[in-house]
Amino acid sequence: MSAPVAAPRPVDEKLAREFGLNAEEYGRVLAIMGRTPSLTELGIFSVMWSEHCSYKSSRVWLKELPTKADWVVHGPGENAGVVDIGDGLTAIFKMESHNHPSFIEPYQGAATGVGGILRDVFTMGARPIANLNALRFGRPENPRTKRVVDGVVRGIGGYGNCVGVPTVGGEVNFHAAYDGNPLVNAMTVGIAPRDRIFLSAAAGIGNPVVYVGSKTGRDGIHGATMASAEFDANSEEKRPTVQVGDPFTEKLLIEACLELMATDAIVAIQDMGAAGLTSSSVEMAGKGGVGIVLDLDAVPQRETAMTAYEMMLSESQERMLIVLRPGAEDLSRAIFDKWDLDFAVIGHITDTGRIVVRHKGVLEADIPLQPLSDEAPLYRRPIEWPTPPAPLDDAAITSDVPVEQALLRLIASPDLCSRAWIWNQYDAAVGGQTVKRPGAADAAIVKIDGSRRALALTTDCTPRYCQADPRMGGMQAVAEAWRNITATGARPLAITDNMNFGNPEKPEIMGQFAAAIQGMAAACNALDFPVVSGNVSLYNETEGRGILPTPAIGGLGVIEEASQARGIAIAPHLDLVLIGATEGWLGQSLWLREIAGREQGAPPPVNLVAERRHGDFVRHQIAAGGVHACHDVSDGGLLVALAEMALAGNTGFALNDAPDGVSDIGFWFGEDQARYVLAAADATDLLAAARRAGVAARLLGRTGGNELTWAGGVSISLKELREAHERFFAAWMS
């Protein structure tokens, strides 16, 4: 077999390093090939062996996560996770990152992140019904932060709104650790019949391989490699590695693919995401145990004189690769022509177990697929296990800031203020299936078309907990997602994750990652909440400074009757009941940071037995019909949760005194876990049921009026509270 034509510049170890391969990895490439690779071949190895595509630092730890349950149809390994939601339907969902591109070019980075995750879902046969996101930004006072926030939010809204999929939920945090490396994690959920799920493993020797969607350009080349490296002072020069999205084309692609999926034409289908044509062809053929031949002359191109290297590594958006059944070309072409999309037969399946790429009569690549996959680097990086800080002596914490003033400062802070400026740029109602919009409930509620049932959707993580104690922080992130779904009355089913961490070559970072995985696994097992899909984003560092460890969790649950889903808004004449015990845990709390100016101590411990017991109790009470509103207690503690309920319902309340044995600060602002606030017409039956179930419960007070009142006459008007809550974004972004 003749070797491909030599590259315009010499392929050697120096070039391999520029492409992200170290000396040992390049040596492995030489051993597999038995010769010096061509430029295109080196490009293929570099992207497929990048951290972004191969998970070479994380795979050994990801195996510890539980991925199976009776309701799990497909776990990790496919484009997205699939769970059975009853009535012959499945929910298909996943979360992915677009962190590095969103810092370099915020609008397009965020927009194409949304487009990419949409394709991961509809490539499996699902119609997308909801988008969510989890966003982390630097300090508001950092001059770069406003530009990044503005671009990211516009990008998410611009893409999701135009493609016609509602953005129904998410979270936004600010911290100095994200100054040089924001996080943009996008999640999509879709619905598909259980008997019409499409997978990516290629099959059928001689079957045609077709390219559909947009034309290929030079945007995004080596995007996967860029996403597998730290940033430095010159990172903004990497704009050519950021893709450019077109949501209107994506909408056409969704409709065309779903129309083709209604036929029997498709054998396998894969979106061209990270590494574009390379990853889609290599993964499809590799999963199917077959070979693939590609003729790049047939690839639709929007730029002239593109090389094989550029076409194979381009990450141009809105493109799919499909293996068709023999004779299905004309039917398929007619569908894509109708939707005004490119359609081209660019290759076929072989029995060689190799990927062969030709361009203009030249053999550009000829690589055995099995070693490309099986001999990909897999590292068990050195680990420095984190040492959690000692708990603070909460009893010794004092403050001269009155409780009411602390509440106003907290509710006005960037991490707790109103997100209306963000939500108002997202169309949360397009499609007509959104039951609970952003801010109305602890999880978004999206009705399943043609059914009385609905999905509950949330994204959650508390990075400051993870920084202090990654194992406890990972556990808490899963538990909070489970709690937020439970608070609506829905039954939690499964999670997707987005593991955002720094440089894995640093032992302390791998210690954070491994400990977070262990905490997540413990919570998933205890709560019957398996991981069915996910993404790992490493090297989130700029000039050696890493982000807070951020294992973002996307949770999904199902509720039998959409109209019974509970929100957080209270109404007059209701009793307020706290479920769960309060010790007044202030370590790593927002009160400690925002009022006392300290980020110290151990985060609140997570008792998984209590989480399960309390959550099951709350869900049962909601199903019984006695709960009018429910809100979990998380960031900011109990008084913040109550204030959020008051703002949502435009109703005040009068509260009883804090109990003996807990300081006022600890009771009102401590962030003890496994707690919910329930609003009921009469707390008598609820408190009695809690006693029978062995669940700690306490009557807090009663709703009504236009003020938030404490025993002793201290009060805040709803007007004052709302003005504080809505102040930050309006002033900052004006």
Side-chain angles (χ1 to χ4, degrees):
M1 183 180 298
S2 61
V5 172
R9 59 176 293 188
V11 172
D12 54 20
E13 186 178 319
K14 179 181 178 182
L15 183 61
R17 284 199 301 271
E18 291 180 27
F19 283 10
L21 297 173
N22 62 32
E24 189 276 331
E25 290 167 350
Y26 180 62
R28 196 176 301 183
V29 171
L30 294 177
I32 290 171
M33 298 300 293
R35 56 173 170 78
T36 300
S38 70
L39 179 66
T40 301
E41 289 170 335
L42 182 65
I44 290 172
F45 273 100
S46 70
V47 294
M48 294 309 298
W49 286 7
S50 68
E51 193 73 62
H52 190 75
C53 292
S54 74
Y55 290 16
K56 56 190 174 185
S57 298
S58 58
R59 293 202 313 271
V60 294
W61 291 104
L62 295 175
K63 292 177 182 178
E64 294 195 7
L65 294 171
T67 60
K68 298 183 184 301
D70 291 344
W71 52 91
V72 174
V73 180
H74 291 288
E78 282 299 332
N79 285 292
V82 185
V83 294
D84 192 317
I85 57 173
D87 297 332
L89 297 176
T90 63
I92 299 181
F93 68 112
K94 189 181 181 183
M95 184 190 291
E96 280 205 342
S97 61
H98 237 219
N99 303 334
H100 286 55
S102 297
F103 179 64
I104 297 169
E105 176 43 66
Y107 183 93
Q108 290 295 348
T112 53
V114 174
I117 196 63
L118 280 165
R119 289 193 299 280
D120 276 341
V121 168
F122 76 74
T123 194
M124 297 192 71
R127 177 169 291 281
I129 64 166
N131 288 329
L132 298 91
N133 51 72
L135 311 177
R136 320 286 169 182
F137 300 113
R139 295 163 299 156
E141 58 268 27
N142 184 322
R144 280 182 168 176
T145 301
K146 185 188 291 189
R147 176 187 71 89
V148 175
V149 171
D150 177 65
V152 165
V153 172
R154 285 190 299 108
I156 291 170
Y159 205 100
N161 297 350
C162 291
V163 84
V165 178
T167 300
V168 299
E171 54 177 347
V172 182
N173 295 138
F174 295 86
H175 194 279
Y178 303 107
D179 275 353
N181 200 128
L183 302 184
V184 176
N185 297 169
M187 175 177 167
T188 292
V189 182
I191 300 293
R194 179 158 182 165
D195 60 357
R196 297 295 290 172
I197 295 170
F198 291 81
L199 305 180
S200 57
I205 307 308
N207 280 352
V209 175
V210 300
Y211 169 121
V212 300
S214 292
K215 289 179 170 60
T216 294
R218 291 188 171 93
D219 50 322
I221 293 173
H222 263 299
T225 305
M226 180 268 290
S228 305
E230 292 183 23
F231 278 160
D232 57 29
N234 300 315
S235 290
E236 291 192 354
E237 297 176 3
K238 296 180 179 179
R239 277 193 173 88
T241 63
V242 178
Q243 312 94 319
V244 177
D246 180 354
F248 299 103
T249 298
E250 181 101 340
K251 174 60 174 174
L252 299 178
L253 189 59
I254 291 173
E255 299 304 329
C257 287
L258 292 178
E259 183 174 339
L260 184 61
M261 287 166 171
T263 73
D264 64 351
I266 296 176
V267 174
I269 182 169
Q270 175 80 37
D271 82 291
M272 295 190 212
L277 187 53
T278 288
S279 64
S280 55
S281 57
V282 167
E283 290 175 5
M284 291 177 80
K287 287 180 181 179
V290 296
I292 189 168
V293 171
L294 299 178
D295 176 8
L296 300 187
D297 295 351
V299 170
Q301 301 163 54
R302 68 167 182 262
E303 299 185 46
T304 60
M306 289 193 72
T307 66
Y309 168 84
E310 290 172 329
M311 280 187 276
M312 289 300 291
L313 271 67
S314 167
E315 294 186 5
S316 295
Q317 296 293 285
E318 295 89 38
R319 303 179 301 158
M320 310 286 279
L321 198 65
I322 305 174
V323 178
L324 294 177
R325 300 191 189 281
E329 296 93 328
D330 290 345
L331 167 68
S332 303
R333 185 187 303 276
I335 290 173
F336 284 91
D337 284 349
K338 183 183 84 170
W339 290 100
D340 198 25
L341 295 168
D342 279 291
F343 177 98
V345 178
I346 66 167
H348 62 275
I349 300 301
T350 70
D351 61 359
T352 64
R354 307 178 74 88
I355 178 170
V356 176
V357 179
R358 292 188 174 89
H359 185 222
K360 295 184 177 179
V362 176
L363 180 64
E364 293 282 357
D366 186 350
I367 303 173
L369 288 165
Q370 185 173 357
L372 180 61
S373 172
D374 294 353
E375 297 183 35
L378 178 62
Y379 297 122
R380 184 173 283 274
R381 303 275 192 192
I383 283 184
E384 180 181 314
W385 290 100
T387 302
L392 293 180
D393 181 3
D394 292 348
I397 296 173
T398 59
S399 172
D400 58 2
V401 178
V403 168
E404 66 274 18
Q405 291 304 312
L407 174 61
L408 288 172
R409 283 170 57 178
L410 281 169
I411 209 75
S413 69
D415 275 6
L416 290 176
C417 70
S418 168
R419 268 77 175 120
W421 180 87
I422 296 174
W423 296 335
N424 289 342
Q425 297 185 59
Y426 303 155
D427 190 337
V430 62
Q433 294 171 243
T434 306
V435 177
K436 297 290 185 185
R437 297 188 181 203
D442 281 352
I445 303 295
V446 181
K447 194 172 183 292
I448 300 166
D449 195 25
S451 171
R452 297 170 65 178
R453 311 170 96 212
L455 298 180
L457 311 169
T458 185
T459 60
D460 294 288
C461 184
T462 311
R464 64 184 186 276
Y465 293 176
C466 300
Q467 176 74 8
D469 184 344
R471 186 177 187 279
M472 196 63 70
M475 192 182 300
Q476 190 272 342
V478 173
E480 186 172 353
W482 191 86
R483 204 159 57 229
N484 280 331
I485 291 169
T486 290
T488 69
R491 176 170 60 93
L493 291 180
I495 68 170
T496 182
D497 61 49
N498 209 137
M499 307 295 292
N500 306 274
F501 288 78
N503 185 344
E505 297 166 46
K506 297 178 179 179
E508 65 272 21
I509 300 299
M510 278 311 302
Q512 290 176 348
F513 185 91
I517 288 285
Q518 290 179 341
M520 290 166 57
C524 289
N525 281 317
L527 301 173
D528 287 335
F529 207 27
V531 182
V532 296
S533 61
N535 174 246
V536 176
S537 175
L538 302 177
Y539 294 97
N540 287 290
E541 298 198 1
T542 298
E543 297 182 350
R545 185 181 180 197
I547 61 165
L548 301 183
T550 311
I553 302 299
L556 178 145
V558 65
I559 186 165
E560 298 299 320
E561 178 58 66
S563 64
Q564 297 303 309
R566 290 293 174 259
I568 67 171
I570 56 175
H573 314 305
L574 298 174
D575 286 341
L576 294 170
V577 175
L578 173 64
I579 300 297
T582 300
E583 296 180 4
W585 196 280
L586 292 168
Q588 297 301 327
S589 67
L590 280 182
W591 181 91
L592 191 69
R593 189 181 82 188
E594 298 293 328
I595 307 303
R598 299 156 59 187
E599 294 185 58
Q600 293 177 323
V606 178
N607 181 330
L608 293 171
V609 173
E611 288 284 1
R612 185 64 184 260
R613 181 173 61 245
H614 298 178
D616 289 348
F617 173 80
V618 167
R619 201 179 311 108
H620 178 77
Q621 295 303 312
I622 292 174
V627 176
H628 290 251
C630 181
H631 193 10
D632 88 309
V633 180
S634 54
D635 279 351
L638 175 59
L639 195 54
V640 166
L642 287 162
E644 290 170 343
M645 297 176 82
L647 289 169
N650 200 32
T651 299
F653 51 68
L655 301 177
N656 304 323
D657 284 334
D660 294 336
V662 182
S663 70
D664 278 2
I665 295 171
F667 183 72
W668 297 122
F669 301 114
E671 296 183 6
D672 305 77
Q673 300 294 291
R675 295 188 299 162
Y676 304 78
V677 175
L678 276 56
D682 186 343
T684 305
D685 290 344
L686 184 58
L687 293 170
R691 284 194 297 273
R692 291 193 298 272
V695 170
R698 179 181 181 83
L699 180 64
L700 294 170
R702 191 157 175 85
T703 67
N706 297 314
E707 294 186 326
L708 283 59
T709 304
W710 288 262
V714 177
S715 66
I716 300 174
S717 71
L718 274 173
K719 181 176 182 290
E720 185 180 11
L721 185 71
R722 193 174 303 281
E723 287 174 350
H725 189 49
E726 296 177 354
R727 183 182 306 137
F728 171 73
F729 273 106
W732 188 46
M733 301 304 293
S734 62

